[in-house]
Amino acid sequence: MTNREHFGSRAAVIMAMAGSAIGLGNIWRFPYIVGEYGGAAFILIYIVCCFMLSLPILLSEAVIGRRTHQNTFGAMGTLAPGTGWKWLGLLTIVTPVIILSYYSVVGGWSLAFLFKALTLSFRPENAEAVTGMFSEFSSSAWGPIACTLTFLGLTAFIIFSGVKKGIERFSKISMPVLFVLILVIAAYSITLPGSSEGVRYLVRPDFSKLTGDAFSAALGQSFFSLSLGVGTMLIYSSYVRKEEDLIASGAGTAMFDMLFAILAGFAVMPAVFAAGIAPAAGPGLVFETLPFIFAKMGAGGRIISAVIAILFFLTILVAALTSSISMMEVGVAYMVEEKKVSRGKATLGIFAICLVIGVLCSLSFGPLAGFKLAGNTVFNFCDKLCSNYLMTLGALLFSIFVGWKMDKESVRDELTNGGLLKLNGKIFPVLYFLIKYVTPITIAAIFISGLIG
Ligand code: TRP
């Protein structure tokens, strides 16, 4: 494993991890989940989950990845040879494939809306009607399937052709651009007439609105957003040099990720109220609201609003791709490194499986809307299965592995770089306590309550 590539610097590590973390999870999923679970109170739980549970899991994955410089399967084989832990490896192959399938549907919607932005479809004179564009588009059959296929094809092409590095380098420019655009949109969104109720919704917690499964939804969202529980962060950390500070990189990634999500909330939710859309409208929420914002913006300057809309959907697309390639990479790395399959075949195999599931997910907004699995459409079923169960289970097992199976000194060694990082040495006892006791117990409790409730 000596000839493995390495990231060049701390900034490069954070950029790659943030590239995986920041994506549709922040901009599409966060606002609509916040809307479904009642606003500010949910955001508070989410923030606590991020720091108390998700960051320790992220660091657990990082410890395993950098210790072994291998994929999940190989890592388990090295650290716990001949044990059942290798099945955790299997979980980390299956889950990202399912996630990638429905993620590609949403990636496809972003493509379609980029196209709508390019053809100047969000006009001030149809501001009230643009909110309906999403349901009209997503409920048809072929358009969304073609877009899903294109997004998935782009992901596979990037993985296969080795331009992954190029895309990640490009995201160094597009991420800051996206960040500024979200800030501009948020600033505009809160000036819309009727938006103040949306701002209140985001900052004034109403704990009476919290339902029983809000905890598992908040945890699921924070895992989804940080790409946890499926070995993505493990793989990325396996490329991190020994001299790098894992705690600082992990905390930096978590901070950026949260900032993007919360800002996206402020960009979307005030406009949701201004447009009279129901906050609990579900997965289409962002795609119903943004065209409304751009159309309204057009009244003040058509060209500026068109440029903002185009850049916005373009940068979201890049953010989505840097996430989707991280999902596909887990499975491809496994097949290439462990099964000795060629990179082309591995990519094609995963592409084909994702396409089949992706088509079913896409159709579940239209012709297959009435087809339910355990009371959910195929799309929602896949999302719930992964976010609330499979990723949670994976995360739980990673924390148990690092807290109980690995010896404490190896963990300390990784997180403090053999004692060189003095500050990390001071933080370590608290962190280790979180990893060993707090995370597994809390996650198990939330997981079980989700199963029975
Ligand atoms: N975190 C990404 C987002 O917010 C999605 C993602 C990338 C992901 N890799 C993952 C989610 C692995 C779960 C598992 O858009």
Side-chain angles (χ1 to χ4, degrees), residues 24 96-97 99-101 103-108 111 147-164 167 236 317-330 332 343 346-348 350-351 354:
L24 297 169
V97 168
I99 299 174
L100 181 55
S101 306
Y103 201 82
S104 297
V105 174
V106 187
L111 254 173
C147 291
T148 304
L149 174 72
T150 311
F151 182 86
L152 198 55
L154 269 173
T155 305
F157 174 77
I158 294 168
I159 288 282
F160 176 66
S161 67
V163 295
K164 186 164 165 271
I167 294 289
Y236 274 39
L317 196 62
V318 177
L321 282 170
T322 55
S323 300
S324 65
I325 54 182
S326 80
M327 288 176 226
M328 195 176 256
E329 181 67 21
V330 188
V332 171
R343 211 171 161 77
T347 311
L348 194 63
I350 293 180
F351 169 82
C354 289

Side-chain angles (χ1 to χ4, degrees), residues 127-128 131 192-195 269-278 288-289 292-293:
E128 309 309 318
T131 54
L192 287 169
S195 64
M269 213 41 95
V272 164
F273 282 82
I277 300 169
E288 286 165 5
T289 313
F292 174 78
I293 300 178

